[in-house]
Amino acid sequence: MTLAEKAYEALRHDIIRGELAPGRPLRLADLGERYGMGFSPLREALNRLQAERLVTAESLRGFRVAPLSLDELHDAVSLRIVIEVEALKASISQGDDAWASGIVSALYALNVQAARTGAEADIWTLEKRHHAFHRALLAACNSPWTLEFFERLYAATERYRIPVLLASALPVGRDVQAEHGALAQATLDRDAEKASALLSQHYLRTVEDLAGAIRSKQAKLRASG
Amino acid sequence: MTLAEKAYEALRHDIIRGELAPGRPLRLADLGERYGMGFSPLREALNRLQAERLVTAESLRGFRVAPLSLDELHDAVSLRIVIEVEALKASISQGDDAWASGIVSALYALNVQAARTGAEADIWTLEKRHHAFHRALLAACNSPWTLEFFERLYAATERYRIPVLLASALPVGRDVQAEHGALAQATLDRDAEKASALLSQHYLRTVEDLAGAIRSKQAKLRASG
DNA sequence: GCAACAGAAATCTTCGAAAATAAATGAAAT
DNA sequence: ATTTCATTTATTTTCGAAGATTTCTGTTGC
């Protein structure tokens, strides 16, 4: 793997997890220090991330971590529903046994991790398995463009979820595990209408919870600052 | 504008228009010669284009113009329908007078150009105005993500249209101008269902024409080669 | 004839320095 | 005190060369 590829993965990772805060300037000297490489591979990685909207760039004024906003969260989630509902229907109509067992296996792994407590309960494994479960649902849609846009939007929305997860700021009156289970069941039953409705609801509830948690956090910041 | 930005625009332009043929290796020495610059800005541009799927890259083996395939054309058009139908509905429900007059103006400019013959009838102006018309329809959807994906998919499908347009290989039994007119009318009438249906039909007809033209061209190539 | 290999050539990747531009500092004038 | 301007500093952008890897070519051995 080339240094530019390593830089791309490291930067993407750190931006999505919020280790590089939204809006923060990405100075080449700092990044060179942080990742142990020269400017060339870093600039290549930053250009890729700019095209993916995880980074913003201004001519002769360098790069920044792309900012977050509630408007963008709503936009991204709305579009995810449109695209993923269609992809889920396509998967349901075309998926084979391998696709179906992929869903079962991804759901099982996700539930195992969600049930863990204490030292074993780390958010990053949970997040990876959550991503894998939602990807498994769409895996048989047979549309590379759809899958690319799914990944783009998943990364965009993950940036909003992670700070909330880290703060354990999600409302408790919701059984996400049950939602995943029902969604998987409807999908495996090849009930496209029901699965689509469950998927949409799942995302709409999530965006409401996230927006609520973010708004209350912002309110606190305003009160204390 | 920096050299990297110039390189990005020039490469994107040349790839979409087919001046750099699909699959062709993009050697840095050649590109440096062609565009009059060193490796650094070229590599930055190529990394952006890789993220946009106009260029493919393999570790330590350089870049190529992304290949074309009928499968990808179908994939891209299918997804355009899903995304643009939704965006058109949103525009229809939210669009103001400026949006509506943007459509009227874009359609007029497109029709004027389509009617031109001889020296004034150049394909590039026509193509630009076609793009502008379709963008104008969606302009009021208020979704930056949707508009980005529209641009990505438009560029992807434009690569299939241009060689066919250049070969004047489109079937004549079709009044595209009338299709655009009816689509604009239904949109301005705020008839979301009718406009969506017309948009879908428009794209499905186009993809069929394109696929037909490409297949017959490939058949000829097989016969002569 | 053909596979395996060594060496040469071509190409991609990365670095370090130079050039170009933007941002910060401080002095002079009003 | 505030603005203006020149100077310095910080930062981005680009080049040219060096390093690393792949690809080509010709040779050897079977």
Side-chain angles (χ1 to χ4, degrees), chain A residues 163-183:
Chain A
V164 174
L165 285 177
L166 286 173
S168 305
L170 280 181
V172 287
R174 185 175 164 211
D175 190 345
V176 176
Q177 201 164 336
E179 287 180 30
H180 286 142
L183 172 54

Side-chain angles (χ1 to χ4, degrees), chain B residues 2-4 37-38 40-41 60-61:
Chain B
T2 65
L3 284 179
M37 57 184 73
S40 307
L60 298 177
R61 297 181 50 175

Side-chain angles (χ1 to χ4, degrees), chain B residues 60-135:
Chain B
L60 298 177
R61 297 181 50 175
F63 300 88
R64 294 172 168 274
V65 178
L68 299 181
S69 74
L70 284 178
D71 276 356
E72 196 224 347
L73 172 62
H74 279 109
D75 182 20
V77 172
S78 302
L79 190 52
R80 279 189 69 179
I81 291 174
V82 170
I83 291 175
E84 292 187 34
V85 160
E86 215 58 37
L88 183 60
K89 287 178 181 168
S91 273
I92 285 173
S93 81
Q94 303 169 38
D96 58 5
D97 290 348
W99 165 71
S101 34
I103 293 172
V104 172
S105 131
L107 177 65
Y108 175 79
L110 174 60
N111 283 338
V112 164
Q113 186 62 26
R116 289 208 168 112
T117 54
E120 284 178 311
D122 80 294
I123 233 177
W124 308 121
T125 304
L126 187 66
E127 179 54 37
K128 247 195 324 214
R129 295 186 179 182
H130 184 257
H131 186 177
F133 170 67
H134 280 287
R135 181 169 34 218

Side-chain angles (χ1 to χ4, degrees), chain A residues 23-38:
Chain A
R24 162 171 168 172
L26 295 166
R27 295 225 178 70
L28 289 163
D30 295 348
L31 298 178
E33 180 92 6
R34 183 181 178 109
Y35 300 114
M37 56 184 74

Side-chain angles (χ1 to χ4, degrees), chain B residues 108-174:
Chain B
Y108 175 79
L110 174 60
N111 283 338
V112 164
Q113 186 62 26
R116 289 208 168 112
T117 54
E120 284 178 311
D122 80 294
I123 233 177
W124 308 121
T125 304
L126 187 66
E127 179 54 37
K128 247 195 324 214
R129 295 186 179 182
H130 184 257
H131 186 177
F133 170 67
H134 280 287
R135 181 169 34 218
L137 291 171
L138 315 180
C141 75
N142 193 32
S143 165
W145 277 106
T146 297
L147 294 176
E148 182 194 325
F149 290 167
F150 163 73
E151 295 297 343
R152 291 274 311 274
L153 292 171
Y154 193 94
T157 52
E158 195 177 356
R159 296 183 68 205
Y160 294 87
R161 263 157 46 80
I162 282 178
V164 174
L165 285 177
L166 286 172
S168 305
L170 280 180
V172 286
R174 184 176 165 210

Side-chain angles (χ1 to χ4, degrees), chain A residues 66-166:
Chain A
L68 299 181
S69 76
L70 283 179
D71 277 355
E72 197 224 347
L73 172 61
H74 279 109
D75 183 20
V77 172
S78 302
L79 190 52
R80 278 189 70 179
I81 291 174
V82 170
I83 290 175
E84 292 187 35
V85 159
E86 214 58 35
L88 183 59
K89 287 178 181 169
S91 273
I92 286 173
S93 80
Q94 302 169 39
D96 57 6
D97 290 349
W99 164 73
S101 35
I103 294 171
V104 172
S105 129
L107 177 66
Y108 174 80
L110 173 60
N111 282 338
V112 164
Q113 186 62 25
R116 289 208 167 113
T117 54
E120 284 178 313
D122 80 294
I123 233 178
W124 308 121
T125 304
L126 187 66
E127 179 54 37
K128 247 196 322 216
R129 294 186 180 183
H130 184 257
H131 186 176
F133 171 66
H134 280 287
R135 182 169 34 218
L137 290 171
L138 315 180
C141 74
N142 193 32
S143 165
W145 276 106
T146 297
L147 294 176
E148 183 195 324
F149 290 166
F150 163 74
E151 295 298 342
R152 290 275 309 276
L153 292 171
Y154 192 94
T157 52
E158 195 178 356
R159 295 184 68 204
Y160 295 86
R161 263 157 47 80
I162 281 178
V164 174
L165 285 177
L166 286 173

